[in-house]
Amino acid sequence: MKFIASALLFALAASPAVAQDDPCQSAHKTQSACDKDTTTGGGCTWCKCAALPSACWTIDNAKKLPSGVYDCDATDLYEVTENVSDEPCLTPKQETELKDAIAGIKTTLNTADASLLIAAAAEKNETIKERLLLAEKVISAVNTEIVSNLTAIANEACGNCSQIVKTVSDAVDSLEEALTKIEPDWKTDPIYKAIVAAVSAILAIVDAFCPSGL
C-alpha cells in the first residue's frame, strides 16, 4: 500500500530543484535510454507526468513521487504494508462504512479542487493565480492517492484502523506541508478556506470511523 508522506511536497513544490541534482535526469533525456540504465544512481526509471514535465529519475527518487501525479515505468517502486499486528481486522460492516467514508472524502476534496480552479480563473494577479493552480494540483494528487490507499485497505483481507489513520495522517501532513511552501498563510487566507474546511471534514470523517485514532 502506498503512503505519500512528504511526496507531494517533493514532487510539486520542490521537484524542479531536486531534478537538477538527480543523476538520471542529468544523464538521460529520452525514455528508452533512461529505462535501460540500471547503474546510474542505483538505476533509472522514466516517469510520465501530466502536471509537470516527464523525466528520468533514480529509482530512489521515483519512490518519493506520488502515483497520483507520476506514472513511472518501474513496477516495483512501492512496498506493500499489510496488517501484521494484533489489531482486529475491519468487520464487513466497517468495510462498507469505510467505502462510504471514501466517497465522502473524495467529494470533499473535489469541492476544494473546484473552488481553487474557480478562484484561479477569477484572479488577476498572475503570481496568486499560479499559486492557486499549484495548490489545485496538490489537492488533486492527494485526492487520487488517499482514495486509492483507503480503497486498498477496504478491499484487503485484514485492513484495520491503524492503517486508515496512517493513510489519512500522511495525506493531511503532506497537503499542509506542500501548501505552506506555496502560501505560508494559507490557513488564514480566505481564498483557501475551502481547503481548510476540507481538511477539517476529512479528519472528522476518520475520527468518527476510528475514534481517537487521530
Side-chain angles (χ1 to χ4, degrees):
M1 186 175 309
K2 295 167 278 186
F3 296 110
I4 53 181
S6 60
L8 287 170
L9 173 64
F10 178 93
L12 294 177
S15 61
V18 174
Q20 294 175 0
D21 298 326
D22 189 294
C24 287
Q25 182 147 76
S26 300
H28 305 295
K29 301 302 179 185
T30 65
Q31 182 175 1
S32 58
C34 174
D35 287 337
K36 289 178 182 178
D37 189 338
T38 59
T39 57
T40 301
C44 304
T45 184
W46 186 261
C47 297
K48 301 180 182 70
C49 180
L52 296 167
S54 301
C56 188
W57 297 81
T58 63
I59 296 294
D60 284 344
N61 278 343
K63 289 178 180 179
K64 303 171 187 175
L65 301 173
S67 62
V69 178
Y70 285 86
D71 179 16
C72 299
D73 290 343
T75 58
D76 57 349
L77 294 180
Y78 303 97
E79 297 179 355
V80 175
T81 303
E82 297 180 351
N83 177 15
V84 294
S85 69
D86 294 330
E87 184 175 348
C89 303
L90 297 175
T91 65
K93 181 175 183 293
Q94 286 177 313
E95 290 175 354
T96 299
E97 291 173 346
L98 176 56
K99 291 176 181 178
D100 291 338
I102 292 169
I105 290 172
K106 184 175 182 179
T107 298
T108 298
L109 289 174
N110 280 342
T111 300
D113 187 297
S115 74
L116 288 172
L117 289 175
I118 292 171
E123 182 57 54
K124 303 300 183 184
N125 184 296
E126 289 300 321
T127 299
I128 296 177
K129 182 189 289 287
E130 182 179 354
R131 290 174 181 173
L132 287 168
L133 291 174
L134 185 54
E136 184 274 328
K137 291 176 183 177
V138 171
I139 289 290
S140 179
V142 167
N143 198 357
T144 299
E145 202 77 5
I146 195 172
V147 167
S148 174
N149 290 343
L150 289 177
T151 299
I153 293 171
N155 292 334
E156 75 172 60
C158 190
N160 61 30
C161 267
S162 293
Q163 292 172 303
I164 295 170
V165 170
K166 177 172 174 53
T167 294
V168 173
S169 295
D170 283 351
V172 170
D173 287 347
S174 294
L175 172 62
E176 293 185 340
E177 188 177 4
L179 289 176
T180 299
K181 282 288 185 181
I182 297 169
E183 175 51 66
D185 297 324
W186 68 273
K187 289 185 179 181
T188 56
D189 190 327
I191 296 178
Y192 295 89
K193 64 181 180 181
I195 300 179
V196 176
V199 170
S200 296
I202 290 170
L203 294 178
I205 289 171
V206 174
D207 190 50
F209 190 81
C210 297
S212 302
L214 292 170

